[in-house]
Amino acid sequence: MNLMQPFKSELGLTTGIITPVSHVIRRSLSDMRGMYADDAATERILAQEGDRLIYEVYPVDLPEEEGHILHSTTIIYPGRVSDEYHMTKGHFHVKRDRAEIYLGLAGHGYLLLQTDAGEVSSVPMQPGTIAYVPPYWAHRTVNTGSEPFIFFAAWPGDSGHDYGTIEKIGFAKIMVERDGQVALVANPKYI
Ligand code: S6P
Ligand code: ZN
């Protein structure tokens, strides 16, 4: 057995940054082409304003193996593409029965979940909210506020990430601003 030594990381509760920084995953609008409902709006923003940063992930460096508990923070910057709020790509776990825990640290948003059968659930999140992603649910987070939405996540080391299914079919519902309110509406592009 290869015995790992105990260690710790420091989490900036207001910044969401975990140190030491092993690596940072940055997703810009161009990384999410085709994921927002309004493709024309995506292309307009890219042409007129450039490639805006949508979210960043700060992971703790650990082996992606059974027995470990992977953990990270996600910072979703505020904004919209047309009327649709900034969000993560969203994924199923490759091992579909692997659950996950999210803890809201700053800002406001929603956890959107969807099953293989297309059932959708939405969980509002604010600082202090512990949101549970049960086995078999794809998950995406959305910043519906005007500040960065920051949360901590922990999940089993052997979960794996399946992005392809969501890239192909999308989420059945999207979070948009309608008449100044946050609304969960049918995704016109959902297959
Ligand atoms: C990992 C966990 C989160 C996300 C992160 C970015 O299982 O759910 O750390 O990776 O919020 O979202 P995505 O969908 O781009 O991985
Ligand atoms: Zn996950």
Side-chain angles (χ1 to χ4, degrees):
M1 188 182 58
N2 197 358
L3 188 67
M4 179 184 279
Q5 293 301 308
F7 69 95
K8 69 176 176 67
S9 315
E10 299 293 336
L11 165 61
L13 287 171
T14 50
T15 63
I17 294 173
I18 295 179
T19 48
V21 177
S22 60
H23 63 288
V24 185
I25 299 160
R26 292 198 168 87
R27 300 266 186 246
S28 298
L29 186 56
S30 65
D31 299 314
M32 300 187 71
R33 270 200 163 99
M35 300 198 101
Y36 289 94
D38 189 341
D39 288 314
T42 299
E43 296 309 320
R44 207 165 41 239
I45 293 167
L46 287 171
Q48 291 175 2
E49 148 197 332
D51 199 3
R52 68 162 81 141
L53 180 62
I54 307 283
Y55 64 101
E56 296 178 297
V57 180
Y58 287 80
V60 172
D61 198 18
L62 282 166
E64 297 192 14
E65 292 168 5
E66 184 179 3
H68 285 286
I69 300 174
L70 304 180
H71 47 292
S72 69
T73 47
T74 302
I75 303 167
I76 309 177
Y77 293 99
R80 284 182 279 127
V81 174
S82 185
D83 59 357
E84 191 175 359
Y85 292 102
H86 282 180
M87 63 187 182
T88 59
K89 285 182 159 193
H91 57 268
F92 282 97
H93 291 154
V94 173
K95 291 193 176 169
R96 290 284 204 271
D97 63 354
R98 298 307 195 254
E100 184 157 352
I101 290 168
Y102 282 178
L103 168 63
L105 299 173
H108 290 79
Y110 280 79
L111 167 62
L112 270 189
L113 306 102
Q114 174 164 302
T115 64
D116 266 319
E119 184 183 344
V120 173
S121 176
S122 67
V123 179
M125 287 183 65
Q126 61 181 11
T129 302
I130 301 171
Y132 190 58
V133 179
Y136 302 105
W137 289 82
H139 38 289
R140 156 179 287 167
T141 37
V142 187
N143 185 346
T144 53
S146 50
E147 305 293 325
F149 171 41
I150 305 174
F151 61 91
F152 176 83
W155 66 100
D158 62 346
S159 303
H161 289 88
D162 165 14
Y163 290 100
T165 307
I166 294 301
E167 276 168 11
K168 205 158 64 197
I169 66 168
F171 266 67
K173 294 195 175 165
I174 56 174
M175 305 228 55
V176 297
E177 189 192 77
R178 284 286 150 83
D179 306 321
Q181 306 283 323
V182 177
L184 183 65
V185 301
N187 181 358
K189 282 169 70 180
Y190 181 64
I191 300 168

